Amino acid sequence: MIQLIRGCKDILPGETELWQKIEETAKEIFEDFGFREIRIPIMEKTELFARSIGEHTDIVEKEMYTFPDRGGEMLTLRPEATASIVRSYIQHKMYAQDPVRKFYTIGPMFRRERPQKGRYRQFYQINAEILGVAAPFADAQLIYMLTLLFSRLSVTDVTAHINSLGCPECRPDFREALLNYLSEREEELCADCRRRSRINPLRTLDCKVPKCREQMKDAPAITDRLCGECRTHFEKVQKFLHAMQVSFEIDKRMVRGLDYYTRTTFEILTGSLGAQSAVAGGGRYDGLIKILGGPDMPAIGFAIGLDRLTEICGINAESLQRKPALYIAALGENCQDKAFEWICALGQKGICAESDMEGKSLKSQMKRADRLGSPYVLILGEDELSSGQALLRNMKTKEQTAVPIENLPEKIKEIIK
Ligand code: HAM
């Protein structure tokens, strides 16, 4: 038997209802805050991700699904959505009409990571991005929206962590200070950090290896070395979050795994998912639109890991499952024909009715009605058909009442509404 690919998963009925609920709640909140949906392709030119996420990130170095298409062009299954959204903003010159755009998008992403609980090779993200706004209001609004979504979904065990990564003004000084610190400890660091300290030193700050954590505990913090503008920006974000009663922690070690970030970065962490503690992550990427060939415009956004969110969501998936409102137990060909008509008419009225399409016995049909959780069963045999009255059984009270067959869908609608 052919099994699915490692790191991919089927999302089955029983689970999909929760996915839909989360997606609907997110859309509702985003639209209440003026965000509009954008849909971008699942494949892009490899260069788009290499240039935006960064050549020396784990994603670009080791995790992308990249392949030559039949014409020889290198394509990649998107590992994230931000780069494509920025590409689309530039390609359609959206900045020319109204530079301020607020987008959301929901869909699958692909990263070839080692699969484990909460980590998949095809996973799903809910993204929200604000392009064209430099003011710290945007940062605070996005974080506020995230906390609102989590609270509407009854997610409890989460904390917002925020940091600032500075800007091209202040980051070089910090990098220098960090490199000095690292050069005195190179021998003590893991092989990955030794390599990182040459090509992407900031990443040494959030290495999970205990020996490295110990070595890095007194490392310089970027928040102590921000330039005046970055410091003011970061302080305002905090002020606005306090004003909206959003609780957060400042996490000086949080650097994020993508290179495009500037200033505010944030993550929503949970204690419920073991090693995969980030349920959402995001930040400012003020330089990215320019890097990708557009005008010099600021932007900020986040992505929620939908798979992870479904695992910590407090809503009972069972309670979301829609059950048929009626089961029609039809016996004999004439009755089955009638049931077929009624099911179509009821479906058209927004009432889900089910029946057995294969002429099974009454006993087996009643069993199926029970299994499906239908609150009512309509029993229709040749006798009922000729008398013009079918029997409606309330599955809870076991009461049976006669219902005239004429205009039955209308009558059913009234009874079960
Ligand atoms: P990211 O931190 O790489 O950021 O991913 C965001 C979220 O996606 C993570 O916090 C996690 O919940 C989920 N995620 C990532 N990888 C996996 C995986 N292999 N399996 C399951 N879930 C995963 C970004 O992708 C940025 N584009 C976010 C952003 C938007 N920044 C600005 N705008």
Side-chain angles (χ1 to χ4, degrees):
M1 194 230 137
I2 301 169
Q3 305 258 341
L4 52 61
I5 303 169
R6 195 164 125 80
C8 294
K9 64 178 178 184
D10 300 318
I11 304 154
L12 304 177
E15 301 169 294
T16 46
E17 292 83 3
L18 181 59
W19 286 66
Q20 288 171 355
K21 172 81 185 165
I22 294 176
E23 290 169 11
E24 281 160 20
T25 313
K27 282 183 189 173
E28 214 171 84
I29 293 179
F30 295 160
E31 293 193 1
D32 288 345
F33 280 80
F35 287 70
R36 296 178 64 191
E37 186 179 17
I38 183 168
R39 297 191 188 195
I40 55 236
I42 280 173
M43 287 187 291
E44 295 273 3
K45 293 181 182 166
T46 303
E47 198 194 342
L48 175 69
F49 301 115
R51 261 171 54 195
S52 51
I53 299 169
E55 296 277 2
H56 298 298
T57 54
D58 284 353
I59 298 179
V60 173
E61 272 185 351
K62 329 189 254 214
E63 294 170 1
M64 294 203 306
Y65 284 94
T66 295
F67 54 94
D69 85 347
R70 287 172 194 270
E73 188 170 31
M74 293 311 284
L75 304 181
T76 293
L77 297 185
R78 62 181 188 191
E80 61 115 46
T82 312
S84 306
I85 291 176
V86 172
R87 183 213 27 83
S88 177
Y89 178 79
I90 300 168
Q91 184 164 351
H92 300 285
K93 296 198 171 52
M94 292 191 227
Y95 50 82
Q97 250 184 354
D98 178 3
V100 178
R101 298 292 172 126
K102 300 199 266 185
F103 298 122
Y104 70 86
T105 197
I106 302 177
M109 309 293 154
F110 305 85
R111 294 182 195 174
R112 200 177 187 287
E113 295 189 80
R114 202 164 48 77
Q116 53 176 249
K117 186 177 160 56
R119 192 159 75 196
Y120 309 97
R121 289 180 172 175
Q122 174 171 339
F123 60 99
Y124 295 77
Q125 280 187 347
I126 302 179
N127 275 256
E129 317 278 346
I130 303 181
L131 289 87
V133 180
F137 290 121
D139 314 34
Q141 186 177 75
L142 285 171
I143 299 171
Y144 177 72
M145 269 183 7
L146 267 175
T147 58
L148 186 63
L149 177 63
F150 286 121
S151 94
R152 283 218 188 140
L153 294 172
S154 313
V155 177
T156 45
D157 183 18
V158 283
T159 347
H161 283 220
I162 68 168
N163 193 16
S164 174
L165 293 183
C167 68
E169 271 297 294
C170 47
R171 197 162 329 148
D173 277 352
F174 168 69
R175 197 170 181 273
E176 197 60 44
L178 183 63
L179 282 172
N180 281 339
Y181 183 88
L182 289 169
S183 67
E184 287 160 18
R185 289 163 181 80
E186 202 163 334
E187 300 301 297
E188 317 299 326
L189 301 174
C190 73
D192 262 350
C193 279
R194 285 207 292 274
R195 197 174 59 91
R196 280 180 193 134
S197 57
R198 282 185 290 276
I199 52 177
N200 203 351
L202 261 64
R203 292 293 333 211
T204 56
L205 289 168
D206 74 343
C207 178
K208 305 284 182 291
V209 175
K211 194 172 66 169
C212 297
R213 292 191 88 108
E214 176 60 27
Q215 286 299 322
M216 296 307 287
K217 77 177 189 311
D218 298 320
I222 180 132
T223 40
D224 298 333
R225 289 161 192 264
L226 296 175
C227 63
E229 282 185 35
C230 286
R231 191 172 325 113
T232 311
H233 185 97
F234 195 42
E235 281 165 3
K236 284 194 176 157
V237 173
Q238 294 173 55
K239 182 180 123 187
F240 300 147
L241 290 175
H242 283 306
M244 294 315 297
Q245 270 122 36
V246 174
S247 51
F248 60 87
E249 284 173 26
I250 295 178
D251 185 346
K252 297 175 181 177
R253 296 271 174 272
M254 190 179 73
V255 289
R256 312 269 305 122
L258 304 96
D259 280 356
Y260 50 60
Y261 291 112
T262 51
R263 294 198 168 162
T264 320
T265 51
F266 51 93
E267 279 182 347
I268 308 287
L269 303 181
T270 175
S272 318
L273 278 176
Q276 302 314 311
S277 57
V279 202
R284 267 203 173 272
Y285 45 95
D286 289 345
L288 186 58
I289 299 175
K290 185 149 184 235
I291 289 175
L292 291 179
D296 191 3
M297 302 270 250
I300 178 164
F302 66 69
I304 303 168
L306 187 46
D307 312 70
R308 294 184 190 172
L309 183 51
T310 59
E311 286 168 34
I312 59 165
C313 177
I315 295 175
N316 178 356
E318 171 89 34
S319 68
L320 300 171
Q321 283 182 42
R322 184 164 166 196
K323 301 193 166 126
L326 178 72
Y327 189 93
I328 305 179
L331 298 160
E333 211 178 306
N334 291 333
C335 299
Q336 280 193 300
D337 291 358
K338 205 75 206 152
F340 168 75
E341 278 173 35
W342 288 341
I343 285 171
C344 294
L346 285 163
Q348 190 261 339
K349 291 180 193 303
I351 295 170
C352 171
E354 276 283 356
S355 84
D356 151 61
M357 294 182 173
E358 285 163 298
K360 297 241 170 72
S361 71
L362 180 62
K363 192 171 159 204
S364 105
Q365 295 197 47
M366 293 305 282
K367 262 197 193 155
R368 181 144 189 269
D370 210 35
R371 208 170 41 241
L372 293 176
S374 171
Y376 289 98
V377 177
L378 187 81
I379 301 165
L380 185 71
E382 291 297 339
D383 288 352
E384 284 79 17
L385 199 58
S386 52
S387 73
Q389 303 255 338
L391 278 179
L392 185 67
R393 183 178 169 87
N394 181 323
M395 296 296 274
K396 208 160 145 200
T397 62
K398 312 282 183 230
E399 236 177 294
Q400 294 199 158
T401 42
V403 186
I405 284 171
E406 212 190 327
N407 264 339
L408 187 113
E410 267 308 318
K411 289 177 193 124
I412 291 290
K413 193 177 169 194
E414 269 165 35
I415 295 171
I416 63 179
K417 71 176 178 239

